[in-house]
């Protein structure tokens, strides 16, 4: 069931917000990066350049959020790395 808050949130034009301040969840970050959840988790553990999450609360199980601009920057680095080193001819 969708609440009035959920309905209102879906109508907010996101282009009015600065990506430096927008927090997204793991599912959204995976979609932007084009990664399945398992690859996303592996990259978080193995790649020191991966954006650090923001934990929403003090509980060990509190949801993680990622800064949209940092996910965009990470994606740009992955693309640049691929084009510079791994480009298939």
């Amino acid at each position: 069931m969708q609440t009035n808050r959920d309905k209102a949130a879906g109508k907010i034009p996101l282009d009015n917000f600065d990506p430096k301040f927008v927090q997204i969840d793991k599912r959204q970050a995976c979609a932007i990066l084009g990664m399945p959840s398992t690859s996303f988790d592996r990259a978080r553990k193995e790649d020191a350049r991966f954006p650090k999450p923001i934990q929403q609360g003090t509980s060990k199980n509190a949801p993680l959020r990622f800064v949209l601009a940092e996910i965009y920057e990470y994606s740009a680095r992955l693309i640049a790395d691929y084009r510079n080193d791994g480009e298939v001819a």
Side-chain angles (χ1 to χ4, degrees):
M1 178 176 184
Q2 214 176 27
T3 65
N4 286 337
R5 182 178 175 184
D6 293 336
K7 290 176 186 174
K11 296 182 183 210
I12 296 173
L14 293 178
D15 56 344
N16 292 337
F17 295 97
D18 188 336
K20 293 184 296 191
F21 304 107
V22 174
Q23 298 176 24
I24 59 173
D25 62 23
K26 177 182 170 181
R27 179 185 50 81
Q28 293 167 315
C30 285
I32 290 168
L33 295 172
M35 291 182 174
S37 181
T38 53
S39 297
F40 184 88
D41 291 337
R42 188 177 323 111
R44 277 190 57 216
K45 291 177 185 173
E46 297 175 0
D47 189 347
R49 303 175 308 167
F50 199 90
K52 302 295 180 227
I54 300 166
Q55 192 160 6
Q56 300 289 304
T58 57
S59 166
K60 187 176 182 179
N61 295 327
L64 298 178
R65 299 288 185 258
F66 297 87
V67 176
L68 182 58
E70 293 174 4
I71 295 295
Y72 286 159
E73 289 169 15
Y74 182 72
S75 178
R77 282 195 302 264
L78 290 176
I79 292 166
D81 289 350
Y82 175 78
R83 288 186 175 161
N84 292 330
D85 297 332
E87 188 167 302
V88 178

